[in-house]
Every structure is written in structure tokens, then in C-alpha cells.
Amino acid sequence: MKATLTTCPYCGTGCNFYLQSDDRGRLLGVEPAGGHPVSRGQLCVKGWNAHAFVDHPDRLTVPLVRAGKELKPAAWEQALDLVHEQLHGIADRHGPDSLMFLSSAKVSNEENYLLMKLARAGYGTNNIDHCARLCHSSTVTGLVETLGSGAMTNSLSCFDETELVFVIGSNTTEQHPLIGSRILQAVRRGARLIVADSRKIRLAGHADLHLRQRNGTDVALLNGMMRQILEDGLEDRQFIAERTENFAALKQSLAPYTPEHAAAITGLEPGQIIAAARLFAGVDRAMIVYAMGITQHSHGVDNVRAVSNLALLTGNLGRPGTGVNPLRGQNNVQGACDMGALPDVYSGYQRVADPAARQKFSIAWGKALPESPGMMATHALEAAAAGKIRGMLILGENPMLSEANQGLVRRALEQLDFLAVIDIFRTETAELADVILPAACYAEKDGTFTSTERRVQLGRKAVDPPGAALADWQLICELLQRCGVKSDYADPAEIMAEIATLTPGYGGIGYARLENAGLQWPCPDHAHPGTPILHREQCTRGKGRFSPVDYRPSAELPDASYPLLLNTGRTNFHWHTGTMTRRSHLLDREERGAFVEIHPDDAKKLHISARQKVRISSRRGSIVAAAQLTERVPVGQVFIPFHFVEGAANALTNNALDPESGIPEFKVCAVRIEPC
Amino acid sequence: MLKAVSKTDLPNLFDRIAAKYSLQVPMRLADGTRLLRPWQSGELSLDGAPLQQKPTSFFFPQTELLLTISAAGKIGMPTPEEKPLALFGLSRPDLAGIAFLDRFFSTQPADEHYLRRRCNALLIGLAGEVGPDGRWQSPAGKNCDFELIAIGNGFQAQAFSAAGEDWLSPYPAANPSALTEIQRNVETEEKRQTARLQQAARLLEQDLVPDRFWEEIASRCILCSGCNLVCPTCNCFGVQDRRRGKDVERSRVWDSCQFDAFMREASGHNPLGTEALRTRRRIHHKLVADPQRWGELGCVACGRCDRTCPTGIGIFALVEEMLNRYGGSLSAD
């Protein structure tokens, strides 16, 4: 028996556990790390089952190359040569910007770094992005503007010190269970809780106030609260004077948002908005926690600005128990962004448009680098459908289920001249590929992951990968070598050493220092202890900037033809497109297939009974799912998780994008439902 | 007979055991977690926080391959381990947990997979001044082959099986007064805990805990299933069949009664269809059903569910809440 300490592959909380393996190299189970500051001997249900998919017989074990309609086994050399020849050929014929690279928030920092190096130095394009486009691109855009950094400002330990938690658009106990539990524990010791969520999530039952605002009306709610805070004189005048700018513009912008006006937009009572404002501003230390309910809107960046404005207005920044706390969904979505798997920045958010940054990376990598920022993932799919993107390499992502408007995604991927997919399972996306390269999963390789609280932690190899599968970093190195770019790393630690020299916030990160519980960035040098709380003396950008926003309605609201609002998201037991959790026995057994949450009053009107199959249709597609009658959703709204291919929520969702962040509006579109 | 074993004797004793057994001893790993690991694979950790993982998992692991069926229908059994297991460092609750599972899996129809690992295993208890900060841990006084009780610079050792006596035979007899010392040192906190569990059991037997209590507790449950997975007396498992190439592999995996699907019928109906009912069931099973079936509580007071529960609703926490709210109405008998 072997016990290997590693980092959980699921959400961004950053729990650590021991993977137990037997002498034959098969995983037996997990045991939470008792001394780790995040897991503290505890795990959620996905963590407790994180070993279960690893040796599933469906794992990809050999490279596959398309021959007509079939994908046939091939040798590594043949498959890698083909990928390189095709990508290189397309770049030659149509220019490097006809290629798109999708990186992954599931792979390590080192692998994200290498893939962005491959795109930029290897094939000469800044067209690289990953699923942060679909989750926190609004956060990065919004918070970089207002605070100077898009990261969670505080640490998870701050929940033990706060007086109030304001959860808006985060089903924390299901999506970040070990953070949700900290919130529940904070309530038990007397902290106040405000939940703003249209669904009756578990936290709502423990809240002092549960605000069920209409989906997509968060700006009106937040502006209404801020106007009331000013009306009551509860703002932090000293903080505003010393630490912020642009307050006058904010104040002016809030004038129309009387409680009555905000109530009319949100569907709340004016008294609820007043009460929320007074409760929030009445304490000294309040944490705002948010996730996809804020970001996944065609006005997602505005939502983030409003959240940031509220924190600045009340001085809830730069101190323990406060902060703007966007919870990262994937275990390494923070790291994938930090590593520059984004179209406009290198690692450490150094802009590709900045000649000095470009020169620095160009010298380090020994290649001339492209100047103009690349394409966002969501735009790239539209461009592929229009024939402008012709070659794509997708690493560990499954856009066929995860992107909005599945019909468009399918058209886009089918239209490509060449598609290569690197993955651990043969996903719906891989089915469309010309080449599939089999990868090692988290349990089969070393690397680092950066959690939601900016904690850079080690993932350690517990067992060997199946068959001929290789770690992503190894096969990206093979492609780098074919491009004539330096790639002779002995191990991931050497890659991190290169990252540290080029990335100021990671300057002090090295494997030897990560052995216990990792380090929180910024960690600029080898003597630096890491940074649990950002913006302490001043914001990363200097002054915190108030960024006034106005309410804009969602792109598609219910009407006579499509009378219900569709909300989408995840459940406690499954992860994203289900590739891992649907291959984990107990998780799969708990939720076997697609379902739609519908309020009993709506179900009655539509003559729908419990567990009945129903057809849900939007302007973009139609699916079948089992009806789950529940008062978790309000009347007029239905909720569908996007895990299930047989009832894919994203066949219905609207790819209306936020103009600045390019995030789709996953949380609001119009549907109709009929019994099957 | 009580024997005296010095600290310097331990490596030699362990080397001798390790020649015949796969010996697992407590070690403190990188993050501070204490786990049983192979002797000589790291530094022995004699005292500190309780072992993180329940030792029963050596005999009944989270995932266990039961058999393989070939395309021709031939059944293959997993290859047995080369050496039997020896576990050192087991506390009184740990040993009680193993004894509980022994009885469960030995009851007909006996579980050959469990017994294959368990029958030839050597269990070595560890008690005395080995708790956090050297705090006293009561000896088990049973349920093991022999037990070491740390006092001062050495151990008092007591055998409870013929094998145990053999292993301890090279060591001199201890001063008989040491036994009195050990017995005098009974941990009062443990006694208090057991009494509280028994009081809570009576509350449940007398049906004095209303449904609303369980609804409130269930609302604090985030459905991690950890309480079941860390419990040394929980023995529910599910069966998983996977096709690998031409073979079918049948494994069993730890299950949890906190899952909806644990009791869900094929129709979709669930007789334990709410979290409140399942939370009640978890506690009721340990405190009422197990005593009815086995004559003793199903909780060995190891504290693991309280430590692993992310929201503070492990069994001790619930027992305290129950007794604080409803204990006043408990009848005297």
C-alpha cells in the first residue's frame, strides 16, 4: 500500500488528500489530509470519490488517428508528426491566426504554461484560451479594472474571522462544498448571512436574508443596496477618501436606484433591499462571495464591477474577514489564467501588446512572438463556424457540452480542416477529432495547481498512466520540439523554474517550497512567505476604482412563445460534462441522467408529474429530461444541470456574449416545456 | 503476564515481526496527518493525534476487486498478498472497530474477502501516554494480540492471544504494581462520552427526538458521506461491475446510507427519501439498531465522524445537541 499526498482534481477549493494505492499500482481510495489548512481532514463527496474514475476501462490508452469515419490506433511518433504537420501546414497556408488552442483548467500550471508557449512561440499565434472564458473572464476583466487583480482577494481562513458573508450567485455548499461548510460554520458561531440567489439553495435556509432576485438583475440589486447605504450614511468615508477614486461618479450613477426602482427590476420588495443594505453595511468585516451567478451573463463584467463597488464603498477590502471573493470553479482555473492560457496575456498577466513583455518572452523562448492579442474561445468557435479558424488543438476540454449553443459548437468543430484533442476519455468533442492523444490524469503525473485562494500546491503522481498515455507536459514538449522550441525539461519542477523567472507573482515559487501546504501568490522571491490577503495597504492598481454601472436586461427573456426562464449550472454529485463523475460508480448512481427542476405550480399548469420525461426547447435546440418537481426554483424558472449528454442543457443556452469578457449568458435564456 | 518493553527494544521487535508480516506502524506525514505506513518506510510516530484513517480499511478497503470473469466464463480470484498484515499503533476505539467488523463479516454467510486478510493478521494495541501532547489513552485490554502501554520511557506490554504471548516472550516481567497504575489511569472523558451516547440512545428508544430536529440537522449536511466512510463500524458496500477488455471485473466499494440512491427503488420512490430521514437513520442505526442486533453501541467513540464532518454534525456533536434539547424529558429507567 502506498499513500500519495496530492491536490483534489475537482473544484478550486484546493483540498488535499492521500491517494491510496495497492502494490499492483491500482487506486483503492482516498483519505483526507488531516493537517492541511484547507481540507483539515475533510472532503466533499466528489473528493471522497476522486479515485474512482482513474482506472476506468474507458480511459484512452493509445493515440488515435482518423481514417475515414473511424479513429484507429497509431504510434506516438505518427500521431504527433501528423498533429504538427497539420497545424504547421494550416499556419503556412492561412496564417498562424487560423489556428486556435484551447488549454485546460484541469491540467497543471506547467502544462498550461507550455501550451501557451507552444501556441505563441511554436505556431506564432496568440489564439489561446480556456474555459475561464466561460466562468471567470468577467471577474478578470472587472476586477483588474477596479482593483488591479482578478483574483480572490482574501483567504479561506477569513471565513473564521468574518462577521457577515454575502453570497450572491454561488451555490457554495454544492460547488465548493468545503467553502460552503466554512460559511455554515461561520453562521453557527454567530456570523450573519445574506444569500442572493433565485434558487432556494442550501445556504438560503441558514440566511438572515434570502433575496430571490430575478436572474440577471444583480446590478439593480447591488446598486439599490449601495444607494441605500449612502442614504443611511453607512459608507466607509475614510476608506473612500484614502483608498479609492471616482466616488462622485458612482454616487451620481446610483441616484435612480431607489428601493422601489430596484425592487421593480429585481422582483424583490423594497424593504428587502433596504434590509440587505443595512445588514451588510452594519458590520465591520463582511465578505462578498460570488461565482457563476454573477459572471455568466451578457453583462457579467458589469455585475463584477457592482460587486467591487459595494466592497469599496463599505471598506471591505485588504483586511481579514473581508474582500471580494470570486470562487474559482476548476481546480486550476486560477493557475491556467496565471500561466497566460489567455489570448491577451503571457504568464503573470503580462500583456502581449506590451513591447517590453513581448521582448522578455521572446528572448527567453528564442522566437519572435506575435503582437496582436488573440481570439477568445467563444469568438473562436464563431470564427470556426464561419471558416476563419481552420485548425484547433483542444487540451482537456469538452466544448461540445460545456459551451453555449451546442448546435453552433458542432458546426464549428465539424467545419475545421483539422482538430486534435488531448484527453483522458473519448469525449463528445474527441469524437469529432482527426487525432486523439491519450493523456495521464491528475493521479498519474506531477505538477502544480493554483486554488481559488491563490494557493499554489503540488499534485503528485500516485500511479502510472494507462497504456501508452503520456502526461500532457510530455506530449506538449514533443510538439514544442517539432517546432524547434526549447523543450528539454527533465520534469515539471524544471518547467516551474522557468515560469518563476518570467512571472513576477510566481518568482518565489519552487517545488521545494511547496511541500507542505503550498504558497499563496504573489510570492515574488524565494524569501517571500506568500500573500494570504491582497490589497492590504493599497490596491494592486494603486487606488481602488469605483466603476459605475447601469442595469442592462439579459439578451433573451421569456415571452409568449418561450415562457420560462432557463437557468443552468451544476449539481453536488457531478462535475461539468460528466466525463469523470459519470464514470465514478457512487456519483453516477446518485444522479443517473438529465433532469429539469421545475416549480410544482408550473408543473401543474403544464400537466407534468414527478419524474415524467418532458421536452424542453429554446430557439436553439430541444432536449428531453426528467421533470424534478421542486420549490428550489421559483415559479417561472427551470434549472437544468449541464452534465448530461443525453439532455444537454447547452443545446438550449444562448451564446449571447458579454461584449468585454466574451462570456456567454448561461444563466438566462427563454424556453418552453411540454410533456413527452 | 505483564511484560516490560523498553523503547530501544521496539526496532528489534518490529524487525522480527516485519520478517513474517507486512507491518504497518504510525507515521506522521508531510502535512501532519498520522497514518499507518510500512515499517522502515519513514519515521515512527508513537504519539499525537489519532490515526487519520480507520485501520479497518486494511481489511475492508474503499475499493476492493472481488473477482474477474473471463469471456469464457472462467472466474479468477485476486492474488492474495504475500505476507499477512500486522498493524501496530491501534487505539482502544480502533480495536473495538475491528472487533465489530470481525463479528459482522464472520457472521454467516461469512465474508471470505474480509477474512482472508483478517484471519492471519496480527493486531498490536498502543495506549498510555501517546495521545496529543502525551495525554493518556486508555488501554483496550482486549481485541488484540498484544498491547503496549506507554508509561515514562518504556512500555508495559500485555498479551491477549497465544501469538501475542510468543512475541512478548523475550521480554522480562514488569513490576506487578504497574498494572494497578494502568487501571487507575482510566480516562474519565471516555467514560463520559460513552455515558452520553447511551443516554442519547435512550432518548431515541423513547422516541423523544422530534422530526424537526432531524430536519434542522439535515439542513446542515452537505452530503459528503464522510461520516460513513470514516466510521470503523460502517460496513455497507455497493457492487460495481466494469468490463475491461474481454473480462468483467467485479469490485465492491464503500457505500453510504446518506446517499439518496442507497435506498432508492427502481421506480424512483425512496422509503428514506429525505435527508432528514437519512440523517436520523445514521444515528438511530448506531445507537439503537446496533445494540438491538449486537448488544452494544455501533459507535466505538473514535471521534472520526466528528473530525471529518465539514459542518459539525458528527455523532458526538449530535448527541450533545439532542441531550441539551431533549435530555430533560428522559425518563429515569
Side-chain angles (χ1 to χ4, degrees), chain A residues 42 229 232 316 333:
Chain A
Q42 303 167 351
I229 287 168
D232 291 340
N316 278 303
V333 70

Side-chain angles (χ1 to χ4, degrees), chain B residues 209-279:
Chain B
V209 182
D211 291 347
R212 69 171 184 279
F213 175 80
W214 300 111
E215 283 159 16
E216 189 189 319
I217 298 303
S219 79
R220 286 156 58 190
C221 171
I222 61 165
L223 307 175
C224 73
S225 76
C227 50
N228 291 135
L229 304 190
V230 301
C231 178
T233 68
C234 272
N235 43 50
C236 289
F237 57 84
V239 172
Q240 162 190 290
D241 288 343
R242 279 178 172 173
R243 186 175 290 278
R244 192 180 299 277
K246 290 182 178 168
D247 293 350
V248 172
E249 290 176 351
R250 169 159 293 181
S251 307
R252 66 175 167 195
V253 297
W254 289 348
D255 208 338
S256 163
C257 57
Q258 300 306 288
F259 287 136
D260 181 66
F262 184 80
M263 286 283 279
R264 192 195 297 148
E265 297 169 2
S267 67
H269 172 70
N270 190 340
L272 284 179
T274 67
E275 291 162 16
L277 283 172
R278 295 196 286 274
T279 301

Side-chain angles (χ1 to χ4, degrees), chain B residues 1-5 13 95 123-127 139-150 155-169 171-174 176 178-180 182-183:
Chain B
M1 182 199 289
L2 201 62
K3 294 288 190 94
V5 177
L13 173 63
L95 290 166
L123 301 184
I124 310 164
L126 177 65
K142 57 180 179 181
N143 296 332
C144 56
D145 292 287
F146 67 93
E147 187 171 35
L148 298 186
I149 301 142
F155 301 93
Q156 310 299 330
Q158 200 164 9
F160 300 98
S161 74
E165 280 175 17
D166 281 351
W167 286 109
L168 293 181
S169 61
Y171 304 104
L179 190 60
T180 331
I182 293 163
Q183 283 161 348

Side-chain angles (χ1 to χ4, degrees), chain A residues 18 34 41 52 55 589-590, chain B residues 31 33 242 244 255 260 264 308:
Chain A
Y18 286 89
D55 77 335
R589 189 189 68 175
E590 196 65 2
Chain B
D31 70 308
T33 300
R242 279 178 172 173
R244 192 180 299 277
D255 208 338
D260 181 66
R264 192 195 297 148
T308 212

Side-chain angles (χ1 to χ4, degrees), chain B residues 81-98:
Chain B
E81 291 78 5
E82 279 178 22
K83 284 181 181 176
L85 280 162
L87 306 183
F88 167 72
L90 306 176
S91 66
R92 187 202 56 77
D94 288 341
L95 290 166
I98 295 173

Side-chain angles (χ1 to χ4, degrees), chain A residues 357-409:
Chain A
R358 201 164 55 244
Q359 190 185 16
K360 175 168 117 177
F361 281 87
S362 177
I363 291 169
W365 294 343
K367 287 272 184 180
L369 297 174
E371 294 182 10
S372 54
M375 212 178 270
M376 297 174 182
T378 39
H379 291 151
L381 287 166
E382 291 171 356
K388 290 176 190 159
I389 292 286
R390 291 167 174 271
M392 202 177 284
L393 186 150
I394 300 178
L395 167 61
E397 290 209 343
N398 188 12
M400 275 294 292
L401 285 189
S402 60
E403 290 270 353
N405 194 353
Q406 189 185 47
L408 170 80
V409 179

